[in-house]
């Protein structure tokens, strides 16, 4: 199968998972600053890009996080790190899903949609889940509005802020609404400003 065919198959699979939404110049600039083109990453690591595309299509490596408007498959710079930690791409899904009671998270990782973290590790995903849950529940705590509560809330929000990138308009289209940054960082900071 030619490189063009593999790229086309990967683009089709990406759109099946994410929908077919346009990337703006602003989206492209954001993605270019946060991710690296698959071809470039493969060159750095001495890997064959077509072989990596086959691994993605076979669900042994995550799909690209984004397709830039020029068709470049954009991936995280640490794309190969977790596979190495797992003992190889053939063990990645099993290793990843073993970190949760519910294997759905491992499947979601392979979808390439974990673009919500600077580093997509099981520990970072678990911490993000904890933080978003705690931030979402904070307004219902008995001492809500107090100085101590505000200090706790802002510590949670600040920690989440260090884990998450800014996101782009494209993300709000593919995820069908606001991102966790919108709801758990920007909204709490606007609603409950620091004293």
């Amino acid at each position: 199968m030619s490189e063009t065919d593999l790229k086309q198959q990967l683009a089709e699979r990406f759109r099946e998972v994410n929908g077919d939404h346009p990337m703006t110049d602003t989206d492209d600039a954001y993605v270019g600053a946060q991710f690296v083109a698959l071809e470039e990453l493969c060159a750095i690591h001495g890997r064959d890009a077509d072989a990596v595309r086959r691994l993605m299509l076979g669900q042994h490596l995550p799909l690209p996080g984004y397709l830039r408007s020029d068709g470049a498959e954009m991936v995280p710079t640490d794309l190969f790190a977790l596979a190495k930690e797992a003992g190889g791409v053939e063990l990645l899904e099993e290793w990843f899903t073993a970190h949760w009671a519910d294997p759905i998270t491992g499947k979601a990782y392979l979808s390439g949609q974990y673009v919500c973290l600077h580093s997509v590790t099981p520990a970072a995903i678990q911490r993000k889940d904890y933080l978003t849950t705690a931030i979402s529940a904070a307004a219902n705590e008995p001492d809500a509005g107090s100085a101590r509560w505000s200090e706790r809330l802002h510590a949670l929000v600040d920690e989440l802020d260090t884990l998450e990138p800014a996101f782009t308009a494209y993300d709000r289209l593919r995820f069908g609404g606001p991102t966790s940054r919108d709801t758990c960082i920007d909204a709490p900071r606007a609603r409950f400003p620091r004293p």
Side-chain angles (χ1 to χ4, degrees):
M1 185 174 297
S2 74
E3 177 184 340
T4 303
D5 292 339
L6 284 169
K7 282 187 82 154
Q8 184 175 345
Q9 281 187 12
L10 194 57
E12 288 169 6
R13 178 71 183 122
F14 177 89
R15 288 185 181 96
E16 285 173 16
V17 170
N18 294 286
D20 192 6
H21 308 290
M23 288 283 284
T24 65
D25 290 345
T26 302
D27 295 332
D28 282 344
Y30 167 82
V31 170
Q34 299 287 328
F35 292 80
V36 63
L38 176 63
E39 299 275 348
E40 184 180 332
L41 187 67
C42 287
I44 292 168
H45 289 276
R47 292 182 176 251
D48 178 68
D50 284 344
V52 172
R53 289 183 184 102
R54 285 186 190 91
L55 290 169
M56 290 174 167
L57 289 166
Q59 298 185 326
H60 297 292
L61 279 175
L63 291 173
Y66 298 89
L67 288 182
R68 236 177 19 207
S69 61
D70 65 1
E73 303 123 325
M74 302 301 289
V75 297
T77 57
D78 62 355
L79 176 68
F80 304 121
L82 287 184
K84 183 177 181 181
E85 190 171 337
V89 293
E90 64 282 346
L91 302 173
L92 180 58
E93 181 179 4
E94 181 182 341
W95 175 85
F96 201 89
T97 57
H99 290 84
W100 287 270
D102 182 355
I104 293 297
T105 303
K107 299 284 186 193
Y109 168 68
L110 291 173
S111 76
Q113 289 190 316
Y114 270 109
V115 295
C116 56
L117 293 164
H118 290 294
S119 180
V120 183
T121 64
I125 293 170
Q126 291 166 348
R127 190 63 184 163
K128 179 201 170 198
D129 289 347
Y130 168 80
L131 292 168
T132 56
T133 298
I135 292 165
S136 298
N140 298 322
E141 291 177 2
D143 64 340
S146 72
R148 289 187 73 195
W149 173 87
S150 179
E151 188 177 312
R152 282 194 319 270
L153 173 67
H154 285 283
L156 295 169
V157 170
D158 291 348
E159 183 180 351
L160 183 61
D161 191 18
T162 66
L163 295 177
E164 289 195 342
F167 293 99
T168 187
Y170 174 84
D171 293 315
R172 290 166 183 90
L173 293 174
R174 76 161 143 187
F175 297 130
T179 66
S180 54
R181 173 167 284 282
D182 298 329
T183 59
C184 294
I185 297 174
D186 297 341
R189 284 178 172 165
R191 184 175 174 200
F192 307 108
R194 290 183 192 276

